[in-house]
Structure formats: C-alpha cells, structure tokens
Amino acid sequence: MTTSSSERGVSLGMPELPAPAYPDDVRARLETDAREIIARYPDSRSALLPLLHLVQAEEGHVTRTGMQFCADVLGLTTAEVTAVATFYTMYRRRPSGDYQVGVCTNTLCAVMGGDAIFESLQEHLGVGNGGTTEDGKVTLEHIECNAACDFAPVVMVNWEFFDNQTPGSAKRLVDDLIAGRPVQPTRGAPLCTFKETARILAGFPDERPGAVEASGAAGPASLVGLRLARGEAAPARVVHPRDGGPHDAGTPDAGPHDAPQDRAPQDRTVHEPSPTEHLSSHDAPQDTSASDPTHPAGPVAEEGE
C-alpha cells in the first residue's frame, strides 16, 4: 500500500488546486467591473494588467482566486496569468498593509540619503524589506527609481510622492499613517488606502471630491531643464561644501529656492515654501538626508551649472 505525498506530510512546492472561488455576490460584482474593463480593448487579453489591479483591490493582494478569475474571464490559462502577476512588482503576492511605503534606493536617492532612510524605517517599524507591521497598517519596501530624482531622496506611499525626505521626516510620516492622522503627499492626489489605489489603477475614476483637481503639476526642480531650454535659467553660481568655505552670500541672484546650505552660515534661515512649491507637511526641504554628518554626500550643484 502506498501513501500520497500529502499524507506523508511532504510538500512538493505546488499550490493547492483548484483555487477557492469567490463568493457568488463578489464574483458577480467583479464580473460587472471586468466587462467594463475588457470592453476598452480590441483584444480581451490586453485587459489582463488592469484586471489584476481589480482583483488586488478586492483582497489587497493578488490571490490564486484572483488569478483564476482573470484566467476565466479572459480565456487564458492560470500559467499565463501567473507569469504576468509574478513579473510586475506592483502586484502583491501576499497580504500587505493599508499603506505601501516604498523608499527609493536607486543611485541618486541612495547617495542623497535613501539608504539611511530605509535603514532607519526598518529599525523604527521593526520589519524588514517587504515586511508589514503587526497592526496591518504599513508595508515597507525598497523600490527602484521613482522617476523623481530631482526631489531625491523620495519616499512613495501607495504610489504618491513624498519628496526631499530625511530619516526623521520619514519616521514621522509612518507614525502618522499608523496613528490615522491626515497625511498630504507632496504632489498628486490625496492619499487613499492601497485597495482604493488598486481600483483606480484598474481604470476606475477617483470619485473623491477634489481628488482629480488636486493632482497639481510639476514642481520647480522638475522644470529646470525646461527653463534652460527656453534660455530662462538664472546666472550660474557655485555651490560650496556644507562644511564651510567661501559662499556667495548676499548676492542678488540668491532666490527663494536656494538651499540653506548654499548660503553663508549666518544666512541660514528656515525656508518658508510658497504654495507653488508643492510641498507637503512631511517634506524636509531644508534638512536633507545629504546633510546628515553620518551620511555625507559632498558638494552638489544644480543641473546645467
């Protein structure tokens, strides 16, 4: 008499099949949404990416049930769906927090202090990369380039930007998220939960009052290249190391966006941003991670100077 591998307690590393089905009411609701998504594409299989966001919005991550649902409505195999769901990092494969806190550790953000931010958040939250706090509020991960190098170091929460961060400002940010206090991104729509974000990414409108209008525009740092191309750039100036040395203090070219470290020590005052700078309550524009003595970044200069 032989026994099966499951009876012997041996796991072959294969998922249990078939995947459990959604409850009838949930499946009916998702099928209605799925038909709306599929109708946008000439080839139904092109709807797979938004459909994965749709099922992620249901449970907070892409489950085997969600992948089976996508396969059923699109006429694909579960292997085809799994191949896509495991390729893109925006699809979570396991339960995660209401707020996905991603710290950019790519080159520029790392040099400007991203590595220090990530290390401090791991210690502060007591989780590793991809880990979720016990209360289910925050999942921490390091992520690749956020295409926001001009505001480095950058942290994203549910894909909304929090620019010019420091270890201290990032810790205040996650503390506010956990405590349920209001958190305003630097730019973009107001923050919502990861499930709500996933539904928006599936292609459904953000129906929160004023959310779309609040998306804003590019910040000053993003527009430097455009100003250069138009010949509107300010006269060149030398940015000296933060540890002293000669400074062009008192020059008429110093503007409201000059960093405090670019001025003489006696002129280093707290910067009061204007509304056009797209700063949030969790930005740290004057006390950057790069000025942390334990993580020196050295001299810096603006693009084109």
Side-chain angles (χ1 to χ4, degrees), residues 16-70:
E16 181 182 355
L17 297 175
Y22 283 124
D24 291 342
D25 59 329
V26 174
R27 185 178 180 90
R29 173 167 48 79
L30 290 176
E31 285 179 344
T32 300
D33 289 339
R35 284 193 294 270
E36 181 177 339
I37 293 172
I38 294 170
R40 301 170 186 160
Y41 299 90
D43 186 339
S44 63
R45 67 184 298 142
S46 299
L48 177 55
L49 295 181
L51 281 180
L52 285 170
H53 283 299
L54 176 66
V55 297
Q56 184 160 250
E58 187 65 31
E59 300 178 82
H61 66 294
V62 177
T63 63
R64 290 190 301 118
T65 300
M67 288 190 284
Q68 184 65 61
F69 172 82
C70 292

Side-chain angles (χ1 to χ4, degrees), residues 293-305:
T294 61
H295 298 88
V300 296
E302 289 190 1
E303 181 181 354
E305 297 180 350

Side-chain angles (χ1 to χ4, degrees), residues 139-269:
T139 295
L140 177 67
E141 62 177 348
H142 72 80
I143 51 181
E144 293 302 319
C145 183
N146 288 319
C149 304
D150 40 357
F151 294 101
V154 173
V155 172
M156 296 195 85
V157 180
N158 294 349
W159 310 117
E160 299 292 351
F161 287 102
F162 292 83
D163 302 323
N164 303 310
Q165 293 294 294
T166 68
S169 68
K171 286 188 285 189
R172 290 192 297 273
L173 169 60
V174 297
D175 285 347
D176 285 345
L177 292 172
I178 291 172
R181 291 188 285 267
V183 171
Q184 180 62 40
T186 304
R187 47 208 162 92
L191 198 63
C192 58
T193 67
F194 184 68
K195 288 183 179 180
E196 291 168 331
T197 300
R199 183 169 177 82
I200 295 169
L201 291 174
F204 293 96
D206 188 342
E207 298 178 347
R208 295 174 296 162
V212 175
E213 292 77 8
S215 294
S222 302
L223 301 175
V224 171
L226 180 61
R227 294 201 304 270
L228 285 169
R230 291 175 175 175
E232 300 172 357
R237 59 186 173 83
V238 177
V239 181
H240 295 281
R242 297 178 175 84
D243 57 355
H247 291 264
D248 53 352
T251 61
D253 296 332
H257 302 301
D258 290 339
Q261 66 270 15
D262 299 341
R263 304 172 186 146
Q266 64 270 23
D267 294 333
R268 293 182 183 180
T269 58

Side-chain angles (χ1 to χ4, degrees), residues 43-157:
D43 186 339
S44 63
R45 67 184 298 142
S46 299
L48 177 55
L49 295 181
L51 281 180
L52 285 170
H53 283 299
L54 176 66
V55 297
Q56 184 160 250
E58 187 65 31
E59 300 178 82
H61 66 294
V62 177
T63 63
R64 290 190 301 118
T65 300
M67 288 190 284
Q68 184 65 61
F69 172 82
C70 292
D72 291 344
V73 298
L74 294 176
L76 301 175
T77 66
T78 54
E80 289 174 308
V81 175
T82 302
V84 174
T86 56
F87 182 82
Y88 294 102
T89 58
M90 290 180 74
Y91 301 122
R92 311 300 180 193
R93 298 298 310 281
R94 58 186 179 184
S96 54
D98 293 333
Y99 300 100
Q100 304 281 328
V101 176
V103 181
C104 182
T105 55
N106 236 354
T107 305
L108 185 56
C109 277
V111 168
M112 296 296 288
D115 285 344
I117 291 173
F118 186 63
E119 291 170 7
S120 68
L121 286 182
Q122 288 186 96
E123 181 178 356
H124 185 66
L125 295 172
V127 299
N129 182 41
T132 301
T133 55
E134 291 184 0
D135 57 11
K137 292 286 188 179
V138 170
T139 295
L140 177 67
E141 62 177 348
H142 72 80
I143 51 181
E144 293 302 319
C145 183
N146 288 319
C149 304
D150 40 357
F151 294 101
V154 173
V155 172
M156 296 195 85
V157 180

